[in-house]
Amino acid sequence: MSKLKGKTALVTGSTSGIGLGMALALARQGANIMVNGFGETEGVLSEIRSIGVEVDYHPADMSKPVEIEDLIRCTENRFGSLDILVNNAGIQYVANIEDFPVDRWDSIIAINLSSAFHTIRCAMPGMKSRNWGRIINIASVHGLVASTQKAAYVAAKHGIIGLTKVVALETARTGITCNAICPGWVLTPLVQKQVDARAERDHVSNEQAKLALVSEKQPSGEFVSPEQLAALAVFLCGNDASEVRGVAWNMDGGWVAQ
Ligand code: NAD
């Protein structure tokens, strides 16, 4: 419980799915948590508070640079520092490129890629002044390989891996590290929408659609869990990972080994 005691973690998009898993795991290591994201927050805040750490919530829309600046400023003011930054907020939209709505492209690039540029540029001066920081970008296997109908998502996720490497190089001689985690399929609300679409398209049950979706890309035939991804994030936050810099670490049931 004490590995991250005294540190503060901001997890963007931590009201649901992978981000919530990250926030809970970091809190269990003693870190204070700034929660961000849409939807119901009271249950999330009380679950984290019950672990015995301090927790607060900021409603920044991660597509808006001014709100992101306020999120970083408020985190530092509320907790005294921002030590661990998990760039997790993300959305998906699926369509062939000729049908891809321009506003969906813009939103995905803003939320899944540009938001990380803004959080990192705003958090960096504080991290440099303390010569310690952990930046973890939640990319995707789609940062390493492509799939059809995901032009914006794949472009954003490839982009965030490039950003990860630049930040890792710029901080290489400091106590700040920057790495990316690349999950395969994780059964969160973001993926459930794709399961629902598939069930409707193929006239199959939810269970059949889930199995078909995961098996198509992931040789293990199993979903990755938020808890497994969070355990990797906790490792990246520790001293044993101080020389892990600029990696894009996939946890994907064998997806990109093919
Ligand atoms: P999710 O839909 O369960 O959670 C997304 C979170 O982001 C929510 O808290 C939501 O409120 C928040 N969010 C969305 N738009 C936002 C905005 N404009 N401002 C602030 N918060 C916003 O999704 P998830 O599956 O947990 O995805 C989390 C991350 O993991 C995303 O970056 C996603 O691309 C990535 N990822 C997911 C999978 C998967 O299979 N689920 C695989 C690889 C990568």
Side-chain angles (χ1 to χ4, degrees), residues 12-20 36-39 58-64 67 87-92 107 110-112 138-142 153 157 160 181-194 218 223-224 226 229 255:
T12 69
S14 45
T15 51
S16 165
I18 296 169
L20 176 56
N36 159 261
F38 300 148
H58 192 290
D61 179 336
M62 299 307 291
S63 68
K64 304 211 162 85
E67 295 187 23
N87 288 306
N88 167 80
I91 57 168
Q92 176 63 284
S107 305
I111 297 165
N112 295 18
I138 307 304
S140 165
V141 286
H142 283 119
Y153 190 85
K157 295 299 186 180
I160 203 169
I181 294 177
C182 301
W185 287 124
V186 186
L187 193 55
T188 65
L190 180 140
V191 166
Q192 186 60 48
K193 280 188 206 148
Q194 294 171 67
Q218 218 149 280
F223 286 98
V224 180
L229 293 162
W255 183 326

Side-chain angles (χ1 to χ4, degrees), residues 99-113:
D99 303 322
F100 214 96
V102 171
D103 62 338
R104 294 284 183 161
W105 169 276
D106 289 343
S107 305
I108 290 176
I109 298 298
I111 297 165
N112 295 18
L113 175 59

